[in-house]
Structures are given as structure tokens and as C-alpha cells.
Amino acid sequence: DTAVSQTPKYLVTQMGNDKSIKCEQNLGHDTMYWYKQDSKKFLKIMFSYNNKELIINETVPNRFSPKSPDKAHLNLHINSLELGDSAVYFCASSLSGGPHTQYFGPGTRLTVL
Amino acid sequence: SQQGEEDPQALSIQEGENATMNCSYKTSINNLQWYRQNSGRGLVHLILIRSNEREKHSGRLRVTLDTSKKSSSLLITASRAADTASYFCATDANAGGGADGLTFGKGTHLIIQP
């Protein structure tokens, strides 16, 4: 039983396309996150979503938009993909209200050609 | 700007030896966490230490935190080949519990030679 799952695992697409990455958690957590890991393995928070409050890292282009149909899902939609968007995207979840561990999904490797 | 800096960037030791990795950060924190990432996989949480704690143990792991120096160390004792991975420290500045997400360092790539 996977705690945090992401689909697809790999995504190869052309510049200019629009794509979505899905994330689901079955841990009953109320906060979900998206992180981007670049080619140098540097991880950076993109978004966190908690009880309908969205916190956005100010460096994230507005081509990226998170969409949460319910507490168990936080999907990432990317418009007009660029070469620099190539990276591994990780979804994570946690409980709010204290110093809680974040549980990470397996990642989605996005390659923009 | 990046919060954490791990040191060293890469470490190669013989199986059975101890491995020590260090992490420095820049701003005040609520807690600091260490994660492991195996090649091509997601991150796995190892241990969390709160800002009012100085040392914590979990199995073969020992973490220290020095808030006056804004630094932490992760010690893995009696290393095994399966410990080969990248290790990241991550800081959480939010007292409410991570709503802003974690700030990660660049990671230490640990290789355990059999």
C-alpha cells in the first residue's frame, strides 16, 4: 500500500505543451506539497496546500498551478513547458499543527525536449 | 536563498566504518530533519530533532543540533552497503508544523565500499 503515489513516473514532452502530474496520499494528512529537484539534486519547495490555503514559493513561475480536488490529492499542472522545467518533481504530505515528518512520493521525472 | 549546506558533498568509506555528515543553516528554525534518497527514488525520513534538543538517536543514527552555531551532524555507525545514498538535511522554520514546506540542503552523497 503506497502512502504517497505520483503518476506518471516518467514524462517526456515537447516545449510549449501543457502537462499534469497527479499526486495522491492515503495517510489522512491535511497538508500536501510539491518540490522540484534539479539536475544537481537541489530540492526546492514549490507549493504547500493546507486546508484550502495555498502557499506559493515566490520564485515559481505562474505557468505552474496546483489543483486540489480533495484533501488526498494535489495535482500539478504546467502550462507552456520550457526546457528549464526538466527536473524531478516530488509530491509530499504531512499533518499540520506541529513538527511533523513529511512523506514523499517516488517522484516524476519530467523531460522537456 | 538556500538554507542548508551539507558537508562534505561526497563521502566514500569502507563498510563497517562510521560516516559523519554535517549541515549548516542560516536562519532560525523550529526543527531540523534528515532524509535519505536512494538513487532514482523518493526521500525517506530518517530523524527529526527539535530546536530545543541537542542530540537524538535512532538505531545506528545519531543526530546533533547546535543552534548557536546553526549546525547539525548526522552520524551513521557501523555502515552497511545499503546505506549508500544521498543524505539531506532540511529545516522547518514554521512553528505551526511545516505549512511553508521544508528547506533542503544540497545533500551529501555517501558511498559505502564493500
Side-chain angles (χ1 to χ4, degrees):
Chain A
D1 292 336
T2 305
V4 183
S5 60
Q6 296 178 228
T7 54
K9 190 170 173 63
Y10 300 96
L11 182 55
V12 180
T13 188
Q14 299 286 334
M15 263 186 2
N17 284 350
D18 302 338
K19 290 293 178 187
S20 292
I21 306 172
K22 295 185 176 181
C23 177
E24 177 181 2
Q25 54 94 4
N26 62 5
L27 298 167
H29 290 165
D30 59 2
T31 305
M32 296 183 73
Y33 313 83
W34 277 103
Y35 290 86
K36 178 181 180 181
Q37 187 173 44
D38 64 20
S39 59
K40 295 183 179 179
K41 287 198 165 184
F42 179 45
L43 270 155
K44 195 168 184 180
I45 182 73
M46 299 177 70
F47 303 100
S48 64
Y49 195 82
N50 178 353
N51 293 327
K52 302 194 184 302
E53 178 191 13
L54 177 64
I55 300 174
I56 303 171
N57 184 313
E58 61 186 14
T59 66
V60 175
N62 58 15
R63 298 181 294 103
F64 290 79
S65 56
K67 299 186 191 305
S68 180
D70 55 58
K71 273 177 31 174
H73 297 83
L74 183 66
N75 303 324
L76 182 64
H77 190 74
I78 316 168
N79 289 327
S80 303
L81 278 156
E82 300 177 357
L83 293 176
D85 297 333
S86 295
V88 182
Y89 292 84
F90 287 98
C91 176
S93 71
S94 73
L95 290 170
S96 61
H100 294 293
T101 299
Q102 291 190 15
Y103 292 81
F104 283 76
T108 296
R109 181 174 293 276
L110 171 66
T111 303
V112 182
L113 304 175
Chain B
S1 61
Q2 182 182 329
Q3 172 75 311
E5 293 276 351
E6 279 91 342
D7 168 45
Q9 290 189 341
L11 178 62
S12 180
I13 61 174
Q14 294 295 122
E15 195 167 17
E17 293 179 339
N18 296 342
T20 299
M21 289 159 269
N22 302 298
C23 166
S24 60
Y25 56 92
K26 297 176 183 174
T27 62
S28 296
I29 62 170
N30 178 265
N31 65 79
L32 184 144
Q33 304 179 35
W34 284 89
Y35 286 79
R36 183 186 74 224
Q37 184 179 32
N38 290 86
S39 181
R41 307 290 289 275
L43 284 86
V44 174
H45 181 262
L46 296 176
I47 198 164
L48 180 154
I49 186 165
R50 299 177 188 231
S51 59
N52 61 356
E53 296 176 311
R54 292 296 165 257
E55 188 171 311
K56 204 158 182 182
H57 297 256
S58 176
R60 294 184 296 115
L61 306 179
R62 173 179 169 250
V63 168
T64 63
L65 179 64
D66 187 335
T67 52
S68 66
K69 295 181 180 177
K70 291 187 168 59
S71 67
S72 172
S73 68
L74 171 67
L75 169 66
I76 303 174
T77 60
S79 63
R80 305 168 182 169
D83 295 330
T84 294
S86 292
Y87 291 81
F88 294 88
C89 70
T91 54
D92 182 359
N94 191 326
D100 293 338
L102 298 172
T103 302
F104 282 85
K106 290 182 178 176
T108 292
H109 186 53
L110 175 65
I111 298 172
I112 308 299
Q113 306 278 5

